[in-house]
């Protein structure tokens, strides 16, 4: 049988710049105590976690300018295959300011504007990868110039060619993508509540009902991440709730991407439901302990996998 291949799509990659300071004082000089640079963007985070967990993927999307070159250099250094389309303009740098008390302020740049021609180029690139043994991971926002129904178009194209798709997006991108019934989805509680039309915070019961309705429309795997609460997983004849693993949280950035990576890896390796859930919970908990957007180490993930608690629903 051999392994199935994973292609992560990051339309709006970024350099993640994480700075730590004592306390942010607006309108004054703030001295930074430490700074970290990282290749980021949700699909790239997924590829990096897959690599850390011993898997393979190909990262695709748009890159521009020196920031784009820096991202390629990081991927090369980590041994991650990539096949990006070069665009004019500069790939964005997203700055996260961490204060000693845990407050985080994010400053995100807009990034380059993508033309219709570049979008067609990306579709052709993806078509070249699409086949029965391919899983596309569509995650994160899209740059200016790209339609909000782009994920729906990619899922449609992928399904025509027998490929699978994991969708991890929010708002209109998620709603549009759901029309084409992706094979796996990983909304967080807020994204699913918004999609299901719940006002305010949804209870676990409400989220379960919404997740079941996604399964009924033809999505095989639904994973709902609920932050400190834990996560819901719905697969074939399998529905479980897992409480969050008790870890020392450093940064929740990247926890969802780590879970998406675990789901994709489970799919490519043909893991059973329980093993996939263990990997998902452990990878996302591991990501929370890391500084900035670094993926968790395999050793930590393996240790955490044994601590996952399951409640059948």
């Amino acid at each position: 049988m051999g392994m199935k291949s994973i292609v992560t799509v990051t339309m709006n990659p970024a350099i993640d710049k994480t700075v730590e300071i004592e306390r942010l004082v607006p309108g004054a000089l703030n001295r930074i105590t430490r700074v970290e640079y990282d290749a980021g963007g949700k699909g790239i985070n997924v590829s990096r976690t897959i690599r850390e967990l011993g898997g393979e993927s190909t990262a695709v999307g748009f890159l521009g300018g020196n920031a784009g070159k820096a991202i390629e250099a990081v991927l090369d250094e980590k041994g991650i295959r990539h096949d990006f389309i070069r665009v004019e303009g500069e790939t964005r740098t997203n700055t996260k300011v961490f204060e000693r008390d845990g407050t985080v302020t994010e400053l995100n740049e807009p990034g380059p504007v993508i033309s219709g021609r570049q979008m067609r180029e990306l579709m052709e690139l993806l078509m070249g990868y699409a086949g029965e043994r391919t899983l596309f991971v569509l995650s994160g926002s899209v740059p200016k110039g790209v339609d909000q129904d782009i994920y729906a178009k990619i899922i449609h194209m992928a399904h025509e060619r027998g490929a699978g798709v994991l969708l991890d997006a929010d708002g209109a991108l998620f709603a549009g993508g759901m029309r084409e019934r992706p094979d796996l989805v990983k909304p967080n509680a807020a994204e699913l509540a918004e999609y299901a039309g719940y006002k305010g915070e949804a209870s676990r019961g409400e989220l379960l009902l919404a997740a079941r309705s996604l399964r009924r429309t033809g999505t095989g795997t639904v994973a709902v991440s609920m932050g400190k609460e834990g996560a819901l997983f719905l697969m074939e004849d399998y529905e479980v709730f897992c409480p969050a693993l008790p870890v020392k949280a450093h940064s929740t950035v990247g926890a969802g991407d780590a879970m998406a990576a675990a789901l994709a890896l489970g799919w490519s390796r043909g893991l059973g439901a329980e093993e996939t859930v263990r990997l998902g919970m452990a990878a996302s908990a591991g990501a929370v302990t890391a500084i900035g957007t670094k993926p968790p180490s395999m050793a930590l993930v393996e240790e955490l996998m044994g601590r996952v608690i399951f409640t059948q629903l």
Side-chain angles (χ1 to χ4, degrees), residues 101-119:
D101 68 2
T103 308
V104 183
T105 304
E106 299 196 42
L107 304 167
N108 286 4
E109 294 177 12
V113 177
I114 302 302
S115 69
R117 182 179 56 78
Q118 288 162 340
M119 201 54 245

Side-chain angles (χ1 to χ4, degrees), residues 80-132:
I80 296 167
R81 280 196 301 269
H82 55 85
D83 193 359
F84 282 88
I85 289 166
R86 287 252 151 224
V87 297
E88 306 80 55
E90 189 74 32
T91 289
R92 61 208 180 118
T93 295
N94 290 344
T95 306
K96 293 170 181 54
V97 183
F98 280 87
E99 298 176 56
R100 176 61 64 77
D101 68 2
T103 308
V104 183
T105 304
E106 299 196 42
L107 304 167
N108 286 4
E109 294 177 12
V113 177
I114 302 302
S115 69
R117 182 179 56 78
Q118 288 162 340
M119 201 54 245
R120 286 191 295 278
E121 239 181 286
L122 181 68
M123 277 309 263
E124 278 167 28
L125 179 74
L126 295 176
M127 280 180 199
Y129 281 103
E132 283 172 13

Side-chain angles (χ1 to χ4, degrees), residues 49-297:
T49 305
I50 287 170
R51 183 83 184 106
E52 196 61 50
L53 299 178
E56 296 280 330
S57 69
T58 304
V60 306
F62 301 112
L63 285 178
N66 289 327
K69 291 195 184 86
I71 288 175
E72 284 187 325
V74 169
L75 295 175
D76 286 339
E77 181 201 331
K78 307 272 180 217
I80 296 167
R81 280 196 301 269
H82 55 85
D83 193 359
F84 282 88
I85 289 166
R86 287 252 151 224
V87 297
E88 306 80 55
E90 189 74 32
T91 289
R92 61 208 180 118
T93 295
N94 290 344
T95 306
K96 293 170 181 54
V97 183
F98 280 87
E99 298 176 56
R100 176 61 64 77
D101 68 2
T103 308
V104 183
T105 304
E106 299 196 42
L107 304 167
N108 286 4
E109 294 177 12
V113 177
I114 302 302
S115 69
R117 182 179 56 78
Q118 288 162 340
M119 201 54 245
R120 286 191 295 278
E121 239 181 286
L122 181 68
M123 277 309 263
E124 278 167 28
L125 179 74
L126 295 176
M127 280 180 199
Y129 281 103
E132 283 172 13
R133 309 189 54 73
T134 309
L135 179 73
F136 290 107
V137 179
L138 306 179
S139 40
S141 62
V142 297
K144 287 198 182 73
V146 176
D147 284 341
Q148 291 291 307
D149 65 351
I150 186 58
Y151 286 164
K153 286 186 180 138
I154 294 173
I155 296 166
H156 188 85
M157 178 279 295
H159 283 167
E160 279 186 331
R161 288 163 177 75
V165 179
L166 187 163
L167 176 67
D168 181 11
D170 61 9
L173 285 167
F174 180 75
M178 284 313 298
R179 287 200 306 274
E180 293 289 339
R181 305 192 169 84
D183 305 83
L184 306 92
V185 293
K186 194 219 65 63
N188 62 30
E191 288 159 2
L192 183 57
E194 183 194 344
Y195 178 73
Y198 296 133
K199 296 281 172 273
E201 269 193 33
S203 68
R204 192 197 304 174
E206 287 174 321
L207 292 169
L208 180 60
L209 289 175
R212 280 177 178 154
S213 74
L214 297 187
R215 286 258 315 124
R216 276 197 298 278
T217 60
T219 292
T221 297
V222 181
V224 186
S225 50
M226 306 185 302
K228 292 191 278 288
E229 289 285 293
L232 293 168
F233 295 88
L234 289 79
M235 298 172 196
E236 296 316 310
D237 325 310
Y238 184 85
E239 294 185 341
V240 293
F241 165 73
C242 298
L245 290 166
V247 290
K248 183 175 170 5
H250 197 98
S251 153
T252 54
V253 181
D257 301 329
M259 188 176 282
L263 292 171
L265 206 51
W267 180 91
S268 80
R269 289 178 171 166
L271 300 182
E274 184 173 317
E275 210 180 338
T276 300
V277 170
R278 273 189 196 282
L279 191 59
M281 288 303 293
S284 59
V288 168
T289 66
I291 292 172
T293 46
K294 297 238 182 305
S297 73

